[in-house]
Amino acid sequence: MENCLFCKIMKGEIPSAKVYENEYVYAFRDINPQAPTHVLVIPKEHVASLNDTAGIPDRNLAECLRAIPVIAAQEGLTGGYRVISNCGPDACQTVPHLHFHILGGTQLAERMA
Ligand code: 5GP
Ligand code: ZN
């Protein structure tokens, strides 16, 4: 999709620190990390949020979820990690391209919000 920040990042039109890529998924470091490890996992096919996933094949979504533990292992998150997908304004979603935050590398807060 034109003018989508994460589509541009995925295509390499905007630089990013890539940590993982396959046919369906792109993952890169968050520019404003909120934990020692903070990676964003996105489907290569544009979809705005979890509310819109009926618009992409199941495979694309499944590959995002399957990439998460692979990336966590690659990042050495042996003690665990948290996965968040902000969906819509109440969750403060700022980039309307579905993404999963992987947060780890420290003891995370017990409360999530
Ligand atoms: P959201 O708030 O939509 O759940 O998450 C969007 C995330 O994208 C934020 O954590 C923000 O720091 C990150 N972000 C915004 N712009 C850029 C960018 O240009 N490059 C990278 N690597 N991350 C970005
Ligand atoms: Zn997009």
Side-chain angles (χ1 to χ4, degrees):
M1 158 156 311
E2 277 177 38
N3 287 326
C4 169
L5 174 64
F6 286 177
C7 281
K8 287 181 178 167
I9 284 177
M10 177 265 294
K11 289 184 212 154
E13 294 169 11
I14 291 174
S16 67
K18 179 170 88 170
V19 299
Y20 181 86
E21 183 174 18
N22 69 21
E23 186 182 343
Y24 301 94
V25 175
Y26 187 80
F28 55 103
R29 297 199 190 282
D30 196 293
I31 205 167
N32 183 24
Q34 296 191 32
T37 298
H38 187 168
V39 172
L40 300 172
V41 182
I42 66 171
K44 285 188 170 178
E45 188 164 336
H46 178 89
V47 65
S49 79
L50 281 172
N51 282 342
D52 306 286
T53 51
I56 60 170
D58 291 352
R59 177 79 190 260
N60 300 49
L61 200 53
E63 290 283 344
C64 283
L65 297 180
R66 293 212 172 101
I68 288 168
V70 174
I71 294 164
Q74 188 179 294
E75 293 290 314
L77 302 179
T78 53
Y81 55 91
R82 181 168 289 156
V83 178
I84 292 173
S85 189
N86 293 320
C87 186
D90 279 5
C92 302
Q93 182 180 5
T94 57
V95 179
H97 180 131
L98 175 64
H99 51 282
F100 297 93
H101 298 257
I102 303 176
L103 298 156
T106 189
Q107 177 63 60
L108 299 168
E110 197 171 337
R111 285 186 58 81
M112 287 184 282

